[in-house]
Amino acid sequence: MTEEINNLNTDLKELFVESKFDKMQEVLDNIADSTVVEITLYNYDIIKKYYETQRYNLLAQFIKFVAYSSFLCEYSVKRQIISNDEYEKMYEIFTSIYLKIKEEKE
């Protein structure tokens, strides 16, 4: 990931944390498909790595990042730059993370 794309990813994360979803959508809508996919997969791969190593405590600790990554995946499938099949796999992981965190809180 180039420095420019990394900075864009950081800016998008900040907008997400500040709940500025309309602004985030506007920024995403003006980014090339390839860049959106790169950002989406970069963040998703981090989540997937921690999920596969069962680091649920870290995922719970950084739940806003998990939510941000989930948002990007959903945006990307709606924009049709990732396939429905790929998104289904992503969705399963995010749902599983949610259920694991919920289970640990009970």
PDB file of all heavy atoms in Angstrom, residues 49-61 104:
ATOM      1  N   LYS A  49      -6.902 -12.272   9.627  1.00  0.00           N
ATOM      2  CA  LYS A  49      -5.730 -12.872  10.279  1.00  0.00           C
ATOM      3  C   LYS A  49      -5.987 -13.062  11.779  1.00  0.00           C
ATOM      4  O   LYS A  49      -5.741 -14.135  12.331  1.00  0.00           O
ATOM      5  CB  LYS A  49      -4.496 -12.001  10.058  1.00  0.00           C
ATOM      6  CG  LYS A  49      -3.237 -12.544  10.728  1.00  0.00           C
ATOM      7  CD  LYS A  49      -2.047 -11.650  10.513  1.00  0.00           C
ATOM      8  CE  LYS A  49      -2.024 -10.642  11.627  1.00  0.00           C
ATOM      9  NZ  LYS A  49      -0.857  -9.785  11.660  1.00  0.00           N
ATOM     10  N   TYR A  50      -6.512 -12.039  12.427  1.00  0.00           N
ATOM     11  CA  TYR A  50      -6.789 -12.150  13.866  1.00  0.00           C
ATOM     12  C   TYR A  50      -7.930 -13.131  14.135  1.00  0.00           C
ATOM     13  O   TYR A  50      -7.907 -13.853  15.124  1.00  0.00           O
ATOM     14  CB  TYR A  50      -7.089 -10.784  14.480  1.00  0.00           C
ATOM     15  CG  TYR A  50      -5.838  -9.959  14.636  1.00  0.00           C
ATOM     16  CD1 TYR A  50      -5.655  -8.796  13.916  1.00  0.00           C
ATOM     17  CD2 TYR A  50      -4.828 -10.360  15.504  1.00  0.00           C
ATOM     18  CE1 TYR A  50      -4.489  -8.046  14.049  1.00  0.00           C
ATOM     19  CE2 TYR A  50      -3.658  -9.626  15.643  1.00  0.00           C
ATOM     20  CZ  TYR A  50      -3.498  -8.474  14.916  1.00  0.00           C
ATOM     21  OH  TYR A  50      -2.346  -7.738  15.046  1.00  0.00           O
ATOM     22  N   TYR A  51      -8.894 -13.174  13.246  1.00  0.00           N
ATOM     23  CA  TYR A  51      -9.996 -14.115  13.397  1.00  0.00           C
ATOM     24  C   TYR A  51      -9.491 -15.556  13.280  1.00  0.00           C
ATOM     25  O   TYR A  51      -9.823 -16.401  14.104  1.00  0.00           O
ATOM     26  CB  TYR A  51     -11.069 -13.835  12.335  1.00  0.00           C
ATOM     27  CG  TYR A  51     -12.172 -14.844  12.338  1.00  0.00           C
ATOM     28  CD1 TYR A  51     -13.182 -14.791  13.301  1.00  0.00           C
ATOM     29  CD2 TYR A  51     -12.204 -15.868  11.391  1.00  0.00           C
ATOM     30  CE1 TYR A  51     -14.201 -15.737  13.313  1.00  0.00           C
ATOM     31  CE2 TYR A  51     -13.221 -16.809  11.397  1.00  0.00           C
ATOM     32  CZ  TYR A  51     -14.210 -16.738  12.361  1.00  0.00           C
ATOM     33  OH  TYR A  51     -15.206 -17.673  12.371  1.00  0.00           O
ATOM     34  N   GLU A  52      -8.696 -15.812  12.263  1.00  0.00           N
ATOM     35  CA  GLU A  52      -8.196 -17.173  12.032  1.00  0.00           C
ATOM     36  C   GLU A  52      -7.263 -17.654  13.138  1.00  0.00           C
ATOM     37  O   GLU A  52      -7.148 -18.850  13.363  1.00  0.00           O
ATOM     38  CB  GLU A  52      -7.511 -17.257  10.671  1.00  0.00           C
ATOM     39  CG  GLU A  52      -8.510 -17.193   9.523  1.00  0.00           C
ATOM     40  CD  GLU A  52      -7.871 -17.164   8.148  1.00  0.00           C
ATOM     41  OE1 GLU A  52      -6.652 -16.870   8.040  1.00  0.00           O
ATOM     42  OE2 GLU A  52      -8.594 -17.429   7.173  1.00  0.00           O
ATOM     43  N   THR A  53      -6.606 -16.719  13.829  1.00  0.00           N
ATOM     44  CA  THR A  53      -5.736 -17.095  14.948  1.00  0.00           C
ATOM     45  C   THR A  53      -6.481 -16.998  16.284  1.00  0.00           C
ATOM     46  O   THR A  53      -5.853 -17.064  17.335  1.00  0.00           O
ATOM     47  CB  THR A  53      -4.453 -16.247  14.975  1.00  0.00           C
ATOM     48  OG1 THR A  53      -4.805 -14.863  15.053  1.00  0.00           O
ATOM     49  CG2 THR A  53      -3.607 -16.492  13.742  1.00  0.00           C
ATOM     50  N   GLN A  54      -7.802 -16.817  16.190  1.00  0.00           N
ATOM     51  CA  GLN A  54      -8.690 -16.776  17.353  1.00  0.00           C
ATOM     52  C   GLN A  54      -8.303 -15.707  18.374  1.00  0.00           C
ATOM     53  O   GLN A  54      -8.398 -15.921  19.577  1.00  0.00           O
ATOM     54  CB  GLN A  54      -8.776 -18.158  18.001  1.00  0.00           C
ATOM     55  CG  GLN A  54      -9.320 -19.201  17.060  1.00  0.00           C
ATOM     56  CD  GLN A  54      -9.401 -20.579  17.679  1.00  0.00           C
ATOM     57  OE1 GLN A  54      -9.018 -20.797  18.813  1.00  0.00           O
ATOM     58  NE2 GLN A  54      -9.902 -21.527  16.910  1.00  0.00           N
ATOM     59  N   ARG A  55      -7.903 -14.572  17.879  1.00  0.00           N
ATOM     60  CA  ARG A  55      -7.539 -13.435  18.749  1.00  0.00           C
ATOM     61  C   ARG A  55      -8.768 -12.548  18.972  1.00  0.00           C
ATOM     62  O   ARG A  55      -8.785 -11.374  18.665  1.00  0.00           O
ATOM     63  CB  ARG A  55      -6.395 -12.639  18.132  1.00  0.00           C
ATOM     64  CG  ARG A  55      -5.128 -13.431  17.824  1.00  0.00           C
ATOM     65  CD  ARG A  55      -4.354 -13.866  19.059  1.00  0.00           C
ATOM     66  NE  ARG A  55      -3.978 -12.786  19.926  1.00  0.00           N
ATOM     67  CZ  ARG A  55      -2.862 -12.069  19.821  1.00  0.00           C
ATOM     68  NH1 ARG A  55      -2.000 -12.322  18.882  1.00  0.00           N
ATOM     69  NH2 ARG A  55      -2.610 -11.098  20.683  1.00  0.00           N
ATOM     70  N   TYR A  56      -9.814 -13.156  19.473  1.00  0.00           N
ATOM     71  CA  TYR A  56     -11.085 -12.467  19.642  1.00  0.00           C
ATOM     72  C   TYR A  56     -10.994 -11.304  20.623  1.00  0.00           C
ATOM     73  O   TYR A  56     -11.704 -10.319  20.485  1.00  0.00           O
ATOM     74  CB  TYR A  56     -12.176 -13.441  20.070  1.00  0.00           C
ATOM     75  CG  TYR A  56     -12.288 -14.638  19.158  1.00  0.00           C
ATOM     76  CD1 TYR A  56     -12.140 -15.929  19.649  1.00  0.00           C
ATOM     77  CD2 TYR A  56     -12.509 -14.482  17.792  1.00  0.00           C
ATOM     78  CE1 TYR A  56     -12.228 -17.034  18.816  1.00  0.00           C
ATOM     79  CE2 TYR A  56     -12.597 -15.584  16.950  1.00  0.00           C
ATOM     80  CZ  TYR A  56     -12.452 -16.850  17.469  1.00  0.00           C
ATOM     81  OH  TYR A  56     -12.524 -17.930  16.639  1.00  0.00           O
ATOM     82  N   ASN A  57     -10.096 -11.440  21.613  1.00  0.00           N
ATOM     83  CA  ASN A  57      -9.920 -10.346  22.570  1.00  0.00           C
ATOM     84  C   ASN A  57      -9.414  -9.083  21.878  1.00  0.00           C
ATOM     85  O   ASN A  57      -9.861  -7.977  22.177  1.00  0.00           O
ATOM     86  CB  ASN A  57      -8.987 -10.764  23.710  1.00  0.00           C
ATOM     87  CG  ASN A  57      -7.603 -11.179  23.230  1.00  0.00           C
ATOM     88  OD1 ASN A  57      -7.446 -11.649  22.090  1.00  0.00           O
ATOM     89  ND2 ASN A  57      -6.602 -11.037  24.077  1.00  0.00           N
ATOM     90  N   LEU A  58      -8.502  -9.234  20.928  1.00  0.00           N
ATOM     91  CA  LEU A  58      -8.009  -8.075  20.176  1.00  0.00           C
ATOM     92  C   LEU A  58      -9.094  -7.520  19.260  1.00  0.00           C
ATOM     93  O   LEU A  58      -9.234  -6.297  19.126  1.00  0.00           O
ATOM     94  CB  LEU A  58      -6.779  -8.444  19.345  1.00  0.00           C
ATOM     95  CG  LEU A  58      -5.453  -8.413  20.068  1.00  0.00           C
ATOM     96  CD1 LEU A  58      -4.336  -8.912  19.167  1.00  0.00           C
ATOM     97  CD2 LEU A  58      -5.129  -7.016  20.543  1.00  0.00           C
ATOM     98  N   LEU A  59      -9.853  -8.392  18.644  1.00  0.00           N
ATOM     99  CA  LEU A  59     -10.940  -7.941  17.786  1.00  0.00           C
ATOM    100  C   LEU A  59     -11.976  -7.170  18.597  1.00  0.00           C
ATOM    101  O   LEU A  59     -12.492  -6.146  18.146  1.00  0.00           O
ATOM    102  CB  LEU A  59     -11.573  -9.123  17.058  1.00  0.00           C
ATOM    103  CG  LEU A  59     -10.670  -9.791  16.015  1.00  0.00           C
ATOM    104  CD1 LEU A  59     -11.266 -11.123  15.575  1.00  0.00           C
ATOM    105  CD2 LEU A  59     -10.446  -8.883  14.825  1.00  0.00           C
ATOM    106  N   ALA A  60     -12.257  -7.639  19.801  1.00  0.00           N
ATOM    107  CA  ALA A  60     -13.202  -6.928  20.673  1.00  0.00           C
ATOM    108  C   ALA A  60     -12.631  -5.580  21.095  1.00  0.00           C
ATOM    109  O   ALA A  60     -13.344  -4.578  21.143  1.00  0.00           O
ATOM    110  CB  ALA A  60     -13.530  -7.779  21.898  1.00  0.00           C
ATOM    111  N   GLN A  61     -11.341  -5.562  21.379  1.00  0.00           N
ATOM    112  CA  GLN A  61     -10.678  -4.327  21.802  1.00  0.00           C
ATOM    113  C   GLN A  61     -10.710  -3.277  20.690  1.00  0.00           C
ATOM    114  O   GLN A  61     -10.837  -2.093  20.953  1.00  0.00           O
ATOM    115  CB  GLN A  61      -9.237  -4.644  22.193  1.00  0.00           C
ATOM    116  CG  GLN A  61      -8.481  -3.481  22.769  1.00  0.00           C
ATOM    117  CD  GLN A  61      -7.070  -3.887  23.188  1.00  0.00           C
ATOM    118  OE1 GLN A  61      -6.732  -5.069  23.236  1.00  0.00           O
ATOM    119  NE2 GLN A  61      -6.256  -2.901  23.471  1.00  0.00           N
ATOM    120  N   GLU A 104     -18.827 -13.786  24.745  1.00  0.00           N
ATOM    121  CA  GLU A 104     -17.849 -13.547  25.817  1.00  0.00           C
ATOM    122  C   GLU A 104     -18.368 -12.544  26.848  1.00  0.00           C
ATOM    123  O   GLU A 104     -17.955 -12.566  27.992  1.00  0.00           O
ATOM    124  CB  GLU A 104     -16.511 -13.094  25.228  1.00  0.00           C
ATOM    125  CG  GLU A 104     -15.769 -14.208  24.551  1.00  0.00           C
ATOM    126  CD  GLU A 104     -14.421 -13.792  24.001  1.00  0.00           C
ATOM    127  OE1 GLU A 104     -13.925 -12.724  24.358  1.00  0.00           O
ATOM    128  OE2 GLU A 104     -13.858 -14.588  23.219  1.00  0.00           O
TER     129      GLU A 104
END
